[in-house]
C-alpha cells in the first residue's frame, strides 16, 4: 500500500529529522502514526533506538521496551537511574542520536524522569535527556499509563498527572519551548465523515445526545453462530479468554497442539501467543506478524481450514483461497555498541518461535490498539474503567455498519482525563503564540477590518477541537465569558454562514486570504459575550 505523504506527514518527518530536543507527534486513531514511524525508520540515517512502554507494543515496532534498553529493573527511581547511568556503556550513548518512543500515552511521568537522570549521568551533560533527542509518538486520548492502587497516593504527591507530560524534564522542555508538536489530522482507517465525527466526539467527550443515540443503534443481539466473523473486544484478559475457550470447546475434535520454542531470554509476559497453542478446524484466528509476501499483516483475521503437523492453513476473511502459515520467530532485542564498527547495533536477547496465530473470537481492547477490523463487537458487559478505553475499542472498526455493541454505551463510560485536554490545548496555544504573536495577529485582523478583507484562521476551542475557517472580521473588543475576560473577535464565519465570536488568543494562525469571500451577504447582528 503506497504511503500518502501529505503536508502533515512531511512536516512530521522534517521535525523528526530536525534539531529540536523533543518532538511530539500525535493524532487520532487511524491517522498514520505507525506508518510514519515505519517510514522514518526505513529512511533515516540517524542512529536511533525504537522503544515502547510494553512488550506487546515493542514487538509491534520491532524494538525493545524502555526498561530493557536502559536496563531498568522494576521499581526504578531517578536516583537509581542516575547511579546506573554512571556505570553504563558510555560509547553506546555517545553514538546514539535519537530515542523514538511509541505509544507515549502509556509512558509514566516518573519513567521519563528516570530516562532523563540516566542520560544526564551517562553523557555527563545537564541538558534534558543528556542532549539526546527524544521523539514521542502516540495519542494521549487513548490508553493511559498504569499506576497501581498501592502507588496512587505516593504518585499524586509527586506528579500532577501520571502522563509523560507531567515529568520534570518534559515540563522544562515545554516551558523553554524546545518541543516540536505535530498533529496528524487526516483519518485513513474510516472514510465516513459522520462516523469520524462520532468517534471524535467519543475521543474528547464532545459527543451529542443525537450521536450517542445513533451509536447505540448498533446494539445487536445476534445468535452466537452469526457472530463468527466478529471479533469481540473486551476490557479484561479474563473476559477474552473466557470467550475464546468457550468457542473453541464448541468445535468438534480435540484439536492440534503446536508447541512453541523459546531460546535465550524471552519472558512469559512478552509472548505474543500461547507457548502451547491449541487450534481446531473452523477456529477464528488473528495473524500476529506481517507476511513477507504481503498476504496478511499483524491483526488480519481468518478461519482455520486445515491443521498439519508443521503448519496451519487459514482462509483470510474476504479471500477465496487459504494460505499456509508456518512457524515464525519473534526476537527480543537490546541495543549495544559495536566496538569494531563504532556504531549502534541490536543485540539479540532471545527468540520465540510459534505459529503466528492467536484465537480471535475475542481480544482485549488493550491488545487491539493499533489494529483495524472490518467487523467487531465491543463488549462492555464488564464495564469500562480507563480513560480512552471505549474510544480505542470503537475506533478499531473501519465502518459504522461493521460496528456492533453488546449493550448501549452511556455517557458515564466515556472517561476523559481533562488534564490531557488542558495540556494539549495549552501547548498548542503556547507554540502558536511563539510563531505568531498576539500583537501580530491583532495587526492582521485590524487591517482586514479596515479594508473589509477576508482572513483564514486556524481556531482551537478549549475542548481541543481544531478547525480551519475563512472569516470576514468586523470588530475586536474586550468581552467576558462566565466571569473571565477575553479579547473577542466578531466575524462572519463562511463555514457556519453566520456571525460568530472568536477568542483571539485561541486563534493559532491568521493569514490573509487571496481569494474573495464565498459569502458576500453578511447579516447584521449584535455583539454578544459568547465564544
Amino acid at each position: 500500500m503506497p504511503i500518502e505523504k501529505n503536508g502533515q506527514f512531511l512536516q512530521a518527518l522534517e521535525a523528526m529529522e530536525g534539531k529540536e530536543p523533543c518532538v511530539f507527534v500525535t493524532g487520532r486513531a487511524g491517522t498514520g502514526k505507525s506508518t510514519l514511524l515505519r517510514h522514518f525508520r526505513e529512511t533515516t540515517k540517524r542512529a536511533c533506538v525504537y522503544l515502547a512502554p510494553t512488550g506487546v507494543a515493542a514487538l509491534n515496532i520491532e524494538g525493545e521496551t524502555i526498561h530493557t534498553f536502559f536496563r531498568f529493573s522494576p521499581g526504578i527511581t531517578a536516583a537509581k537511574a542516575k547511579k546506573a547511568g554512571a556505570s553504563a556503556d558510555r560509547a553506546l550513548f555517545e553514538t546514539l542520536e535519537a530515542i523514538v518512543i511509541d505509544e507515549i500515552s502509556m509512558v509514566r511521568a516518573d519513567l521519563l524522569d528516570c530516562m532523563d537522570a540516566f542520560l544526564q549521568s551517562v553523557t555527563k551533560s545537564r541538558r534534558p535527556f543528556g542532549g539526546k533527542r527524544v521523539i514521542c509518538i502516540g495519542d494521549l486520548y487513548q490508553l493511559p499509563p498504569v499506576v497501581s492502587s498501592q502507588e496512587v497516593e505516593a504518585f499524586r504527591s509527586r506528579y500532577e498527572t501520571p502522563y509523560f507530560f507531567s515529568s520534570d524534564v518534559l515540563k522544562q522542555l515545554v516551558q523553554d519551548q524546545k518541543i516540536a508538536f505535530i498533529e496528524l489530522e487526516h483519518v485513513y482507517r474510516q472514510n465516513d465523515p459522520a462516523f469520524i465525527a462520532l468517534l471524535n466526539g467519543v475521543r474528547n467527550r464532545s459527543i451529542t445526545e443525537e450521536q450517542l443515540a445513533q451509536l447505540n443503534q448498533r446494539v445487536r443481539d445476534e445468535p452466537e453462530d452469526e457472530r463468527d466473523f466478529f471479533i469481540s473486544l473486551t476490557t479484561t484478559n479474563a473476559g477474552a479468554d473466557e470467550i475464546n475457550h468457550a468457542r473453541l470447546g464448541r468445535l468438534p475434535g480435540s484439536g492440534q497442539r503446536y508447541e512453541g520454542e523459546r531460546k535465550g531470554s524471552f519472558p512469559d509476559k512478552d509472548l505474543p501467543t500461547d507457548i502451547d497453542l491449541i487450534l481446531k478446524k473452523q477456529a477464528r484466528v488473528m495473524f500476529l506478524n506481517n507476511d513477507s509476501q504481503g498476504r496478511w499483516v499483524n491483526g488480519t483475521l481468518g478461519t482455520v481450514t486445515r491443521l498439519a503437523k508443521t503448519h496451519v492453513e487459514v482462509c483470510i476473511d474476504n479471500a477465496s483461497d487459504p494460505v499456509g502459515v508456518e512457524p515464525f520467530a519473534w526476537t527480543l532485542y537490546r541495543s549495544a555498541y559495536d566496538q569494531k564498527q563504532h556504531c549502534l547495533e541490536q543485540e539479540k536477547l532471545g527468540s520465540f518461535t510459534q505459529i503466528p496465530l492467536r484465537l480471535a473470537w475475542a481480544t482485549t481492547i488493550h491488545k487491539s490498539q493499533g489494529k483495524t477490523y472490518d467487523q467487531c463487537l465491543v463488549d462492555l458487559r464488564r464495564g469500562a474503567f480507563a480513560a480512552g478505553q471505549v474510544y480505542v475499542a470503537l475506533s478499531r472498526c473501519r465502518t459504522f455498519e461493521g460496528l456492533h455493541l453488546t449493550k448501549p454505551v452511556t455517557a458515564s463510560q466515556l472517561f476523559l482525563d481533562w488534564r490531557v485536554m488542558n495540556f494539549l490545548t495549552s501547548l498548542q496555544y503556547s507554540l502558536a503564540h511563539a510563531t505568531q504573536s498576539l500583537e501580530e495577529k491583532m495587526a492582521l485582523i485590524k487591517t482586514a477590518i479596515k479594508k473589509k478583507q477576508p482572513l483564514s484562521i486556524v481556531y482551537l476551542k478549549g475542548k481541543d477541537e481544531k478547525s480551519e475557517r475563512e472569516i470576514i472580521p468586523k470588530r475586536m473588543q474586550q468581552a467576558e465569558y462566565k466571569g473571565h475576560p477575553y479579547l473577542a473577535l466578531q466575524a462572519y464565519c463562511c463555514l457556519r454562514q453566520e456571525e460568530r465570536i472568536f477568542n483571539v488568543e485561541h486563534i493559532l494562525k491568521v493569514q490573509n486570504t487571496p481569494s474573495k469571500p464565498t459569502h458576500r451577504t453578511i447579516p447584521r447582528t449584535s455583539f454578544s459575550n459568547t465564544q
Side-chain angles (χ1 to χ4, degrees):
M1 183 176 177
I3 298 172
E4 182 183 329
K5 297 180 183 178
N6 61 28
Q8 290 170 342
F9 191 97
L10 294 174
Q11 182 188 4
L13 281 178
E14 183 180 357
M16 293 165 78
E17 293 283 9
K19 296 182 179 180
E20 286 287 1
C22 183
V23 179
F24 176 31
V25 180
T26 190
R28 289 174 282 175
T31 51
K33 298 184 294 295
S34 298
T35 301
L36 173 70
L37 190 155
R38 285 195 300 270
H39 183 73
F40 174 76
R41 184 171 188 162
E42 291 167 0
T43 58
T44 188
K45 292 181 171 57
R46 293 183 182 272
C48 302
V49 292
Y50 300 85
L51 311 181
T54 67
V56 171
L59 281 177
N60 285 341
I61 62 170
E62 297 181 352
E64 52 196 306
T65 66
I66 295 170
H67 281 77
T68 298
F69 174 71
F70 288 101
R71 279 57 160 184
F72 287 163
S73 58
I76 188 70
T77 64
K80 292 177 183 177
K82 183 178 180 180
K83 185 177 180 181
S87 59
D89 182 0
R90 192 172 179 186
L92 185 155
F93 292 94
E94 286 177 345
T95 304
L96 181 64
E97 294 179 78
I99 298 169
V100 181
I101 307 175
D102 195 24
E103 303 292 6
I104 192 65
S105 73
M106 294 190 286
V107 176
R108 287 176 23 160
D110 58 338
L111 183 55
L112 212 67
D113 277 338
C114 288
M115 288 172 51
D116 179 50
F118 180 99
L119 289 166
Q120 287 193 29
S121 178
V122 73
T123 61
K124 303 189 185 307
S125 169
R126 297 297 298 275
R127 291 181 293 169
F129 299 114
K132 302 302 176 183
R133 299 184 72 238
V134 173
I135 300 169
C136 305
I137 302 174
D139 180 7
L140 291 176
Y141 289 102
Q142 296 192 36
L143 298 175
V146 175
V147 178
S148 69
S149 57
Q150 295 84 2
E151 299 173 291
V152 169
E153 287 305 318
F155 206 95
R156 189 178 294 153
S157 65
R158 174 66 177 84
Y159 291 103
E160 294 173 11
T161 81
Y163 295 94
F164 85 108
F165 57 78
S166 289
S167 63
D168 295 339
V169 62
L170 240 293
K171 288 169 71 174
Q172 187 63 53
L173 285 165
V174 171
Q175 180 179 316
D176 296 341
Q177 294 187 333
K178 292 184 177 179
I179 180 171
F181 175 85
I182 302 93
E183 183 176 10
L184 304 178
E185 295 176 341
H186 182 79
V187 177
Y188 296 96
R189 182 174 294 147
Q190 292 90 16
N191 296 317
D192 178 4
F195 188 30
I196 292 172
L198 188 155
L199 291 174
N200 199 51
V202 172
R203 180 176 184 256
N204 62 13
R205 213 173 187 274
S206 63
I207 191 168
T208 65
E209 291 184 8
E210 182 183 358
Q211 286 176 318
L212 191 59
Q214 180 189 13
L215 173 61
N216 286 328
Q217 290 175 7
R218 301 308 301 164
V219 175
R220 293 290 186 266
D221 190 26
E222 298 93 341
E224 283 288 329
D225 58 354
E226 291 186 22
R227 294 183 182 179
D228 278 348
F229 289 91
F230 301 173
I231 182 166
S232 292
L233 305 182
T234 71
T235 54
T236 65
N237 282 307
D241 290 343
E242 180 183 324
I243 293 170
N244 283 326
H245 292 154
R247 296 301 298 274
L248 185 68
R250 291 176 194 163
L251 295 177
S254 58
Q256 176 80 33
R257 180 187 297 271
Y258 296 91
E259 187 175 342
E261 181 182 10
R262 181 161 37 185
K263 293 181 179 179
S265 176
F266 208 115
D268 287 348
K269 64 182 178 63
D270 293 328
L271 293 173
T273 189
D274 297 337
I275 194 161
D276 287 321
L277 180 64
I278 298 176
L279 297 175
K280 294 182 180 181
K281 286 180 66 175
Q282 298 306 309
R284 291 291 290 163
V285 290
M286 179 193 298
F287 289 84
L288 302 174
N289 69 328
N290 296 321
D291 179 45
S292 59
Q293 299 178 45
R295 294 171 296 175
W296 65 79
V297 297
N298 187 358
T300 295
L301 299 174
T303 302
V304 173
T305 58
R306 182 172 176 268
L307 299 167
K309 287 186 177 180
T310 58
H311 70 279
V312 177
E313 290 187 5
V314 177
C315 186
I316 294 172
D317 290 357
N318 302 318
S320 53
D321 298 321
V323 295
V325 188
E326 298 182 343
F328 177 80
W330 291 269
T331 304
L332 280 185
Y333 293 102
R334 180 169 70 183
S335 296
Y337 180 70
D338 188 322
Q339 297 282 356
K340 293 182 179 179
Q341 300 297 324
H342 304 289
C343 66
L344 202 65
E345 67 171 11
Q346 283 192 310
E347 179 183 279
K348 185 175 178 180
L349 281 180
S351 67
F352 173 63
T353 303
Q354 178 59 287
I355 301 292
L357 298 172
R358 176 195 299 146
L359 292 176
W361 284 285
T363 190
T364 63
I365 294 170
H366 186 278
K367 288 176 182 174
S368 77
Q369 188 156 304
K371 305 291 195 303
T372 301
Y373 306 122
D374 291 321
Q375 300 273 346
C376 65
L377 178 68
V378 177
D379 186 353
L380 298 177
R381 286 175 296 181
R382 290 172 174 79
F385 49 82
Q389 202 169 36
V390 175
Y391 170 64
V392 170
L394 299 177
S395 61
R396 298 309 95 199
C397 204
R398 292 185 193 274
T399 65
F400 184 68
E401 293 72 26
L403 179 65
H404 307 265
L405 305 174
T406 56
K407 59 183 295 187
V409 174
T410 64
S412 63
Q413 293 173 323
L414 305 182
F415 300 121
L416 174 64
D417 195 324
W418 296 101
R419 298 169 298 181
V420 166
M421 182 176 289
N422 291 338
F423 166 72
L424 290 171
T425 51
S426 61
L427 175 63
Q428 291 178 81
Y429 293 148
S430 174
L431 295 177
H433 294 334
T435 303
Q436 188 180 44
S437 69
L438 180 62
E439 291 72 23
E440 290 172 318
K441 293 171 190 171
M442 289 174 63
L444 281 169
I445 292 168
K446 287 177 181 178
T447 301
I449 292 172
K450 185 176 181 180
K451 295 183 178 181
K452 298 181 179 180
Q453 292 177 335
L455 291 173
S456 293
I457 66 169
V458 178
Y459 193 68
L460 180 67
K461 293 182 181 180
K463 283 192 173 182
D464 195 20
E465 295 175 278
K466 189 190 299 180
S467 63
E468 294 184 24
R469 309 178 185 216
E470 183 179 303
I471 64 169
I472 303 172
K474 298 195 73 177
R475 56 176 168 161
M476 275 191 301
Q477 68 181 51
Q478 288 295 325
E480 189 176 282
Y481 181 71
K482 293 185 177 180
H484 299 284
Y486 72 101
L487 180 59
L489 169 64
Q490 180 184 7
Y492 179 75
C493 175
C494 299
L495 176 68
R496 301 288 188 184
Q497 298 186 34
E498 62 183 7
E499 283 203 2
R500 307 282 285 191
I501 304 300
F502 300 96
N503 185 331
V504 177
E505 293 195 7
H506 290 183
I507 299 175
L508 302 182
K509 183 179 180 181
V510 180
Q511 62 184 11
N512 292 312
T513 304
S515 60
K516 293 182 180 180
T518 306
H519 308 281
R520 295 179 179 274
T521 305
I522 305 175
R524 295 181 180 271
T525 58
S526 61
F527 196 97
S528 59
N529 292 337
T530 58
Q531 293 186 345

